[in-house]
């Protein structure tokens, strides 16, 4: 905002002029010399950080607990392999081939006479911002100010009676400022470096806590519930929940992975890179369950407690753990890191799109995006108080509306568009997609996979999406 006012007073143009490419579109200098990630590890950690967030550490365990434990786990892994892996490979391929953000990538790759560029309006993360900052961020304010430093006698509370409008807005502002302050630096010195350190620290701590949970008296019973499927508990709602969680946790379908694909060279094949990211993402989710479910059966906690499962369970674990105060402080601090890694990934996508549309530098673009995102995310921050709104059943609020838009619509439909675009002659085309995906060393897309990518993936997404809409609890 300050930059806008200053530019107006000085009579300077805030939005720089760019050259025009052969298609008649503006092309700015930074688009011609695109930023690059510094290392393969940085790319994997950055993509995994965007995918992991608290969706794995917080949402996956309580979804698993409410949907039959091992039954949900089995369906979730199947959805990751059959739907998530192809979708992530396709999204990386489109991003790397286009060398553009989601706002431009379909336009750059579409065949003459096609209108795939219209789907750019389904890709931007503006709809994902409130969900990303205060849902994928999963109540950063409580993590930061109520659980760090960890208070062993305090019971964690969420939704909706503990909302304080001033506190929520203040922490939202801190989150947005921190995120865009990091993004205002160059790609390698800001986003890549911070995310790499945060994710390595989170993984080490979760491994330590998982090892601590295994000797608990209820570990065998908890792991049986968590890992052994009960096929009698599988129904349509469990299948839909597993599919939505797979897309939600991988952040595919909204362009979040495409932007990272556009920042890498062609040294490695993209299916192999997708496998590494999905394995890392799944490892974090599995570790979260190994930490929590043995504790639930040891201390008599309800496995189907819902959103409060992580916080109630971990509070009990740390109360009964030597040095629990310090471990609790570290755990919830790194939960903040996990939330922030998702926020950074989401906001980088938005920043890249805004810069391609306006030609702004990183600092100016970060300022503009930060103001817009803060105003949009106020709906979530104030959703249980000042801006009360009930979109669906009693007790729902703005947060539920954004979650419905993102998890139930944008992610699966975005993946459906990607599948149709990459695998059909009326889109980018199978041959062009395979050539891009298979460039470099590593696991390749095989010819026998074509029916899976072209028919099974879009058909499964469409069927499960329609079923989910038909069975959604609208009121």
């Amino acid at each position: 905002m300050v930059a806008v006012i200053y530019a107006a007073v000085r009579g300077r143009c805030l939005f720089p002029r760019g050259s025009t490419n052969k298609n008649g579109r503006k092309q700015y200098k930074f688009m011609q010399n695109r930023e690059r990630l510094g290392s393969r590890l940085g790319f994997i950690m950055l993509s995994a950080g965007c995918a992991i967030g608290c969706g794995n550490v917080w949402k996956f365990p309580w979804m698993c607990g409410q949907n039959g434990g091992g039954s949900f786990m089995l369906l979730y892994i199947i959805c990751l392999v059959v739907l998530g892996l192809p979708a992530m490979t396709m999204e990386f391929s489109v991003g790397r081939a286009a060398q553009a953000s989601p706002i431009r990538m379909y336009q750059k790759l579409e065949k003459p006479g096609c209108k795939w560029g219209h789907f750019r309006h389904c890709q931007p993360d503006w709809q994902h911002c409130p969900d990303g900052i205060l849902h994928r961020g999963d109540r950063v304010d409580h993590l930061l100010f109520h659980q760090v430093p960890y208070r062993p006698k305090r019971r964690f509370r969420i939704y909706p009676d503990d909302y304080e409008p001033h506190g929520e807005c203040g922490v939202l502002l801190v989150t947005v400022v921190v995120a865009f302050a990091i993004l205002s630096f160059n790609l390698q010195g800001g986003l890549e470096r911070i995310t790499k350190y945060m994710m390595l620290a989170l993984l080490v701590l979760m491994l330590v806590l998982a090892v601590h949970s295994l000797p608990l008296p209820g570990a065998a019973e908890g792991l049986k519930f968590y890992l052994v499927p009960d096929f009698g508990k599988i129904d349509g709602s469990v299948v839909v929940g597993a599919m939505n969680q797979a897309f939600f946790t991988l952040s595919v379908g909204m362009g979040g992975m495409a932007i990272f694909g556009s920042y890498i060279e062609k040294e490695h094949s993209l299916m192999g890179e997708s496998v590494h990211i999905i394995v890392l993402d799944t490892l974090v989710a599995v570790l979260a369950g190994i930490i929590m479910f043995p504790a639930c059966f040891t201390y008599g906690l309800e496995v189907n407690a819902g959103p409060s499962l992580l916080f109630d369970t971990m509070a009990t674990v740390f109360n009964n753990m030597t040095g629990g105060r310090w471990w609790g402080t570290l755990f919830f601090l790194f939960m903040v890191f996990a939330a922030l890694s998702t926020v950074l990934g989401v906001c980088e996508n938005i920043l890249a799109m805004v810069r391609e549309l306006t030609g702004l530098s990183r600092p100016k673009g970060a300022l503009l995006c930060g103001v817009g995102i803060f105003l949009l995310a106020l709906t979530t921050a104030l959703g249980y108080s000042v801006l009360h709104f009930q979109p669906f059943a009693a007790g729902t609020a703005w947060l539920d509306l954004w979650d419905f838009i993102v998890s139930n619509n944008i992610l699966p439909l975005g993946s459906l568009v990607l599948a149709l675009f990459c695998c059909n002659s009326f889109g980018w085309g199978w041959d062009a997609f395979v050539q891009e995906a298979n460039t470099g060393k590593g696991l390749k897309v095989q010819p026998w996979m074509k029916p899976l990518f072209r028919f099974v993936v879009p058909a499964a997404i469409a069927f499960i999406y329609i079923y989910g809409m038909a069975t959604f609890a609208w009121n």
Side-chain angles (χ1 to χ4, degrees), residues 429-450:
W430 174 259
D431 292 338
F433 156 66
V434 170
Q435 181 180 358
E436 180 64 40
N438 287 350
T439 300
K441 299 177 293 184
L443 189 64
K444 312 287 187 182
V445 177
Q446 302 297 324
W448 63 265
M449 297 179 182
K450 184 175 181 178

Side-chain angles (χ1 to χ4, degrees), residues 6 11 53-54 88 94 114 122 131 157 168 188 202 240 299 306 338 395 402 421 442 461:
Y6 177 78
C54 292
M88 180 173 281
V94 171
C114 295
C122 301
D131 186 68
R157 301 176 300 148
E168 298 293 330
Q188 294 183 25
L202 177 65
V240 171
Y299 303 116
W402 291 119
F421 179 70
I461 294 173

Side-chain angles (χ1 to χ4, degrees), residues 300-333:
L301 301 173
E302 292 292 332
V303 295
N304 59 352
S308 64
L309 176 64
L310 167 69
F311 305 100
D312 289 342
T313 302
M314 295 314 299
T316 304
V317 169
F318 294 133
N319 282 338
N320 292 273
M321 183 178 181
T322 303
R325 179 181 181 86
W326 298 105
W327 284 109
T329 299
L330 285 174
F331 177 78
F332 288 109
L333 179 61

Side-chain angles (χ1 to χ4, degrees), residues 5 173 237 269 300 358 375 398 406 467:
I5 297 173
L173 180 61
S237 63
S269 64
T358 64
L375 294 175
W398 278 101
V406 174
Y467 181 88

Side-chain angles (χ1 to χ4, degrees), residues 34 91 95 100-102 255-263 345 348-349 352 356:
R34 195 164 188 81
E91 189 162 327
S101 73
M257 293 296 134
I259 190 63
F260 301 136
S262 73
Y263 291 150
E348 170 62 25
N349 196 14
E356 288 192 10

Side-chain angles (χ1 to χ4, degrees), residues 391-423:
F392 307 120
T396 57
W398 278 101
L399 183 63
D400 301 280
L401 176 62
W402 291 119
D403 185 42
F404 171 76
I405 292 173
V406 174
S407 299
N408 295 66
N409 289 276
I410 291 177
L411 298 179
L413 290 180
S415 297
L416 179 60
V417 170
L418 273 170
L420 294 175
F421 179 70
C422 290
C423 301

Side-chain angles (χ1 to χ4, degrees), residues 108-372:
K108 291 191 70 173
L109 298 179
E110 67 185 9
K111 296 177 180 177
C114 295
K115 299 297 181 183
W116 285 91
H118 293 307
F119 285 107
R120 68 186 185 275
H121 301 298
C122 301
Q123 291 290 318
D125 273 339
W126 289 104
Q127 302 100 321
H128 194 258
C129 292
D131 186 68
I133 291 178
L134 284 178
H135 184 79
R136 296 288 304 260
D138 297 321
R139 306 303 313 282
V140 173
D141 57 328
H142 283 289
L143 289 172
L144 189 57
F145 293 107
H146 292 292
Q147 298 292 338
V148 181
Y150 171 68
R151 299 183 175 105
K153 298 301 181 183
R154 176 184 173 89
R155 185 178 182 275
F156 184 87
R157 301 176 300 148
I158 60 173
Y159 315 130
D161 57 349
D162 58 340
Y163 263 72
E164 300 173 358
H166 297 295
E168 298 293 330
C169 292
V171 175
L172 170 62
L173 180 61
V174 170
T175 305
V176 172
V177 169
V178 169
F180 282 102
I182 294 171
L183 295 178
S184 65
F185 293 95
N186 65 68
L187 186 65
Q188 294 183 25
L191 179 61
E192 182 179 357
R193 177 180 296 178
I194 295 295
T195 303
K196 190 188 304 182
Y197 292 148
M198 287 195 305
M199 295 312 301
L200 289 173
L202 177 65
L203 287 170
V204 170
L205 184 63
M206 292 194 70
L207 283 169
V208 172
L209 291 173
V211 170
H212 174 269
S213 291
L214 292 177
L216 293 174
E221 191 176 358
L223 292 177
K224 181 180 179 181
F225 168 80
Y226 181 47
L227 300 176
V228 179
D230 181 353
F231 295 99
K233 295 181 179 179
I234 297 178
D235 56 22
S237 63
V238 177
V239 175
V240 171
M243 190 271 303
N244 286 339
Q245 177 64 18
F247 285 115
F248 182 88
T249 190
L250 294 180
S251 298
V252 292
M254 64 175 186
M257 293 296 134
I259 190 63
F260 301 136
S262 73
Y263 291 150
I264 60 174
E265 302 288 354
K266 302 192 177 188
E267 298 174 356
H268 299 277
S269 64
L270 294 173
M271 175 167 272
E273 302 297 79
S274 299
V275 168
H276 292 144
I277 293 164
I278 290 175
V279 167
L280 190 57
D281 178 86
T282 306
L283 173 64
V284 172
V286 171
L287 285 176
I290 291 175
I291 292 169
M292 289 177 218
F293 288 110
C296 287
F297 283 88
T298 299
Y299 303 116
L301 301 173
E302 292 292 332
V303 295
N304 59 352
S308 64
L309 176 64
L310 167 69
F311 305 100
D312 289 342
T313 302
M314 295 314 299
T316 304
V317 169
F318 294 133
N319 282 338
N320 292 273
M321 183 178 181
T322 303
R325 179 181 181 86
W326 298 105
W327 284 109
T329 299
L330 285 174
F331 177 78
F332 288 109
L333 179 61
F334 288 125
M335 281 290 293
V336 174
F337 291 168
L340 186 60
S341 69
T342 298
V343 172
L344 289 173
V346 170
C347 292
E348 170 62 25
N349 196 14
I350 298 165
L351 177 58
M353 289 187 284
V354 169
R355 292 184 68 207
E356 288 192 10
L357 289 173
T358 64
L360 290 172
S361 64
R362 270 192 173 268
K364 289 181 180 179
L367 177 62
L368 180 64
C369 292
V371 172

